[in-house]
Amino acid sequence: MLRGPLARPMLMFALPLIASGVLQQSFNSVDVAVVGRYAGSDALAAVGSNGPVIGLLINMFVGIGVGVNVVIANCIGSGDRAGVRASVASAVWLAIASGIFMLTVTLGVASPILSALGTPESVLPHAVDYLRIYAVGMPFMIIFNFASAILRSVGDTKRPFYSLVASGIVNLLLNLLFVIRFGMGVSGVAWATVISSVVNAAIVTVILLREKSDIGLRLKELRPSWNRVRKICAVGIPAGLQSTVFSISNIFILSAINSFGAKAAAGSAAAINYEMYCYFVIASFASTVVAFTSQNFGAGNIERCHRILKIGLIYSVFISVVLNVLIAWQYEMFLWPFTDEPDVAAYGAVRLTTVLIFQFVACYYEMTGSSMRGMGYSMTPALITIFGTCVLRLFWVWTLPADATFSRLLAVYPVSWLLTDAIMYMAYRRISKKLPEKFCRAENIA
């Protein structure tokens, strides 16, 4: 990370992250495909409708995982071995506490929040059952997320990927067994996800326990360093807050989608799977930019930080454009695994051709925001993203005419991405000028 060429190491770092993201999303995609094919459109809508709700509940702790990555990587870059060990112990303690908290909260809010979103009556009981069972797996999901962040800080993205392969196979087999063989429907896919999450968390925990380097987990040192917890939260909470508010805006959009009926909710749920797959390409290169920037910033190499951002942008835009265009062009083939109902597929097609095809536009603000977080500026990109993507989306939904079309509702996504890009560009230039003069040359400022 600190010396030599960047393009190939960044790609090799990102590829396992992309594969890991695809596998993680596949947990939900397999759920959606199995219930859509074997339990009907109401069950499909029930599982799909929970996506934004789950994001709202868990994204704060996904953001704190970014803080874990940044703090440990900075310690590594500056040669602080004691800080690495203290940060690892604090991260594991924080993961356990966060998981217990999220389980308790989700069990309490499952029914009220889904009712408040206007979930169709035929869908609501299934959706509540799914979310309550899913909550049982949340502590294990958070443990995996934090453990993966620890491993990423030293450039290890392969072992978390192998863990996801194993748990993904478990998830697929249990989905087929519970839904097709035992007829458990929505609850079957939820329990399959929970069990696979337990497997996932167990594997990465064993990896950390066996690790001999400074990032290894030592049970006798498993106590929080409040100074390290504070540093992790200082970076992670703004990132988590951004994702949480982002999810709130998506929940309002989901409520508007629900107003078009169960078929629209089901079609949107099917199409979102491909948005998530493509988004994991962007998110993986964003994580790569964070990890590489954190170490180089810790080592005082600001010029290299700017090069990392440019390479991350090139990779993410190119791959996103290829995927976005391919899926939107062949939307009938890609929607087929999720539904055989023409009305449901029609709504899914609108979402793919209105939202997905423009998703590459989000690459700029994701990469620049990640670069700023790696350099310790976490609140700035969080506030920009909250305003650019969240506030505008809420305003869009509130002012949408009663007779607006489904495509007009969804047009808020590309519009909000463009606005956020513009604001993030200005913020990055301003922050770059504040960096130490001996490390930052004008020609390297994007």
Side-chain angles (χ1 to χ4, degrees), residues 2 9 16 34 59 74 79 122 216 233 261 271 293 332 343 352 396 402 431:
L2 294 172
V34 170
N59 274 348
N74 266 300
S122 61
C233 291
T293 301
E332 293 180 349
D343 291 345
L352 292 179
W396 190 284
I431 285 176

Side-chain angles (χ1 to χ4, degrees), residues 132-336:
R132 284 176 174 164
I133 297 170
Y134 190 96
V136 178
M138 284 185 174
F140 304 99
M141 295 174 191
I142 293 174
I143 289 170
F144 173 78
N145 181 65
F146 279 38
S148 298
I150 293 170
L151 293 167
R152 284 199 306 271
S153 68
V154 292
D156 185 356
T157 56
K158 291 182 180 179
R159 286 186 288 180
F161 168 67
Y162 298 148
S163 173
L164 279 166
V165 170
S167 58
I169 292 171
V170 171
N171 185 64
L172 173 60
L173 294 176
L174 291 179
N175 267 311
L176 298 175
L177 178 65
F178 291 162
V179 177
I180 300 174
R181 180 70 176 85
F182 297 141
M184 294 172 64
V186 169
S187 62
V189 295
W191 280 117
T193 300
V194 169
I195 295 169
S196 63
S197 298
V198 173
V199 172
N200 214 7
I203 293 173
V204 292
T205 300
V206 170
I207 289 172
L208 288 179
L209 287 170
R210 292 182 175 180
E211 178 65 41
K212 302 302 181 183
S213 69
D214 290 331
I215 65 163
L217 176 60
R218 298 164 178 82
L219 294 179
K220 62 181 180 181
E221 298 179 4
L222 189 57
R223 56 185 177 275
S225 163
W226 296 111
N227 181 49
R228 295 293 162 180
V229 170
R230 180 186 60 79
K231 289 182 177 181
I232 289 170
C233 291
V235 176
I237 287 179
L241 180 64
Q242 169 189 316
S243 297
T244 299
V245 177
F246 187 81
S247 295
I248 291 173
S249 70
N250 283 339
I251 279 180
F252 278 92
I253 295 175
L254 173 63
S255 181
I257 289 171
N258 287 337
S259 69
F260 286 86
K263 301 292 186 185
S268 180
I272 284 175
N273 286 279
Y274 295 109
E275 291 174 33
M276 294 305 299
Y277 280 126
C278 293
Y279 175 73
F280 275 117
V281 172
I282 302 173
S284 296
F285 281 107
S287 296
T288 302
V289 169
V290 165
F292 276 69
T293 301
S294 298
Q295 280 207 21
N296 281 277
F297 191 78
N301 195 342
I302 307 301
E303 285 190 36
R304 194 170 171 89
C305 292
H306 293 305
R307 287 168 52 207
I308 289 165
L309 170 59
K310 292 174 183 177
I311 293 169
L313 273 170
I314 292 169
Y315 276 137
S316 60
V317 170
F318 176 76
I319 298 175
S320 295
V321 167
V322 171
L323 290 175
N324 296 164
V325 172
L326 174 63
I327 295 171
W329 174 42
Q330 295 293 330
Y331 63 83
E332 293 180 349
M333 178 182 71
F334 285 101
L335 289 172
W336 176 84

